[in-house]
Amino acid sequence: MDLIDGNKIATDIIAELKADIAALKGRKPCLALVRVGEDPASVSYVKKKEKTAAEIGLESRVILPPVTITQDELFLLIDKLNADPTVDGILVQSPLPKHINEVAVFHRVSARKDVDGFNTVNLGKVAQEDETGFVACTPAGIMELLARSGVDLAGKHVVVLGRSLIVGKPVALLALQKRAGANGTVTICHSGTANLPLLTRQADVLIAAIGRPDFVKADMVKPGAVVIDVGINRIADPSKKTGYRLTGDVDFAAVSPLCSKITPVPGGVGPMTVAMLMKNTLKAYRLSNC
Ligand code: GUN
């Protein structure tokens, strides 16, 4: 079994981006990060994005509106960022408070600055195989991990567990695209799927993105499969300094001996997401400067 080292691959990409940014003349790319409220995972994700941006010479602007902000006020804030020529990329951290329609907010972000790839236009471009758009960071990171680990999806059966807008649907569309590295045969499973283990056992490549800790067990995996674990579940653990430990959607101890390749949690898909966000921000900068 080979461990797919997301930290190493993300570090390589970050180094490539740092060199690309150092070579830019004039203004550096700028990413606006909007976080509403104090969701602990969001606080730590936004900090990580800010830190990585600084590391590679990318400017970031963190905006922290109060949790009581109305949807219309948030729209106004996004409109200002959309119109600001010194802002290249805009990310509104999810989850948003319940009184705000998240999809409407994602769509309010200009398609040209939508480095999250959640805007309707960019999701549509993934379906159309139009490479001028932005691909959401987690699915883009999964495809990059596979490519840089030598996994070609052509002729393979890819089973995606989960149908979210952020991971399941876009990664299924990417794996299906008619291009080098992709061209897979894709099945999407979800909470309503009957005989789930029967389907997951057919996967040459299994992508688990359902947000249920240790859900994928050994009897759900074909020997020799490649397993990509997208889950980041926080389990209370008083013995840890943080008070929790992270576990994926895959029962790693049981499943890993069976696999040809597997991503760990943490240290698999997670670090790739931030690297792809930086890559998208550089792409947005180049779009606005040409
Ligand atoms: N929350 C969890 N993952 C993400 C992400 O990729 N983008 C945003 N905006 N929020 C998230």
Side-chain angles (χ1 to χ4, degrees), residues 6-288:
N7 279 321
K8 157 90 177 63
I9 296 173
T11 302
D12 291 347
I13 295 170
I14 296 279
E16 291 161 20
L17 292 171
K18 189 172 178 175
D20 289 347
I21 291 168
L24 296 174
K25 308 237 180 318
R27 184 178 75 78
K28 296 296 182 199
C30 172
L31 170 64
L33 296 159
V34 181
R35 171 169 63 76
V36 183
E38 296 301 318
D39 173 71
S42 294
V43 171
S44 105
Y45 291 149
V46 170
K47 256 194 209 137
K48 173 78 183 148
K49 291 165 186 175
E50 205 184 345
K51 189 166 158 263
T52 308
E55 205 180 302
I56 64 171
L58 204 147
E59 190 194 328
S60 66
R61 257 183 241 173
V62 180
I63 301 152
L64 305 170
V67 72
T68 51
I69 191 170
T70 65
Q71 181 165 302
D72 284 344
E73 287 165 342
L74 188 55
F75 279 175
L76 277 180
L77 171 68
I78 293 169
D79 291 347
K80 277 201 190 122
L81 295 170
N82 282 338
D84 185 339
T86 65
V87 170
D88 301 290
I90 302 169
L91 178 144
V92 182
Q93 187 67 29
S94 164
L96 287 169
K98 294 267 178 287
H99 65 276
I100 296 176
N101 177 339
E102 206 161 79
V103 172
V105 168
F106 293 151
H107 191 58
R108 192 77 176 202
V109 174
S110 157
R112 289 175 67 96
K113 297 191 178 188
D114 173 37
V115 288
D116 242 340
F118 296 165
N119 177 299
T120 312
V121 169
N122 286 315
L123 284 165
K125 285 190 176 185
V126 173
Q128 289 167 340
E129 308 195 16
D130 176 343
E131 290 184 0
T132 64
F134 296 101
V135 177
C137 302
T138 303
I142 294 167
M143 296 305 285
E144 193 79 32
L145 266 187
L146 290 168
R148 293 191 185 224
S149 305
V151 180
D152 184 350
L153 299 183
K156 305 263 169 56
H157 187 189
V158 181
V159 177
V160 178
L161 257 177
R163 57 179 153 185
S164 71
L165 202 59
I166 293 184
V167 185
K169 285 191 188 100
V171 83
L173 285 169
L174 289 168
L176 191 64
Q177 287 186 343
K178 199 168 180 178
R179 62 172 173 80
N183 221 8
T185 301
V186 179
T187 299
I188 308 179
C189 303
H190 48 79
S191 53
T193 299
N195 293 329
L196 186 70
L198 193 74
L199 290 164
T200 56
R201 271 200 304 271
Q202 291 174 32
D204 300 308
V205 178
L206 180 63
I207 301 175
I210 39 165
R212 289 173 64 178
D214 299 334
F215 180 82
V216 176
K217 303 290 185 193
D219 64 355
M220 297 169 72
V221 177
K222 175 164 80 175
V226 174
V227 175
I228 304 294
D229 189 352
V230 191
I232 303 181
N233 306 292
R234 290 181 175 212
I235 308 291
D237 186 343
S239 75
K240 299 277 180 201
K241 213 168 72 187
T242 50
Y244 65 85
R245 67 182 167 85
L246 289 181
T247 185
D249 289 350
V250 177
D251 182 345
F252 185 87
V255 169
S256 57
L258 281 172
C259 303
S260 60
K261 292 179 195 287
I262 186 167
T263 59
V265 176
V269 175
M272 292 299 291
T273 300
V274 181
M276 300 322 282
L277 174 66
M278 302 300 137
K279 195 170 174 182
N280 276 350
T281 305
L282 180 57
K283 183 175 182 181
Y285 171 90
R286 290 198 161 124
L287 276 178
S288 71

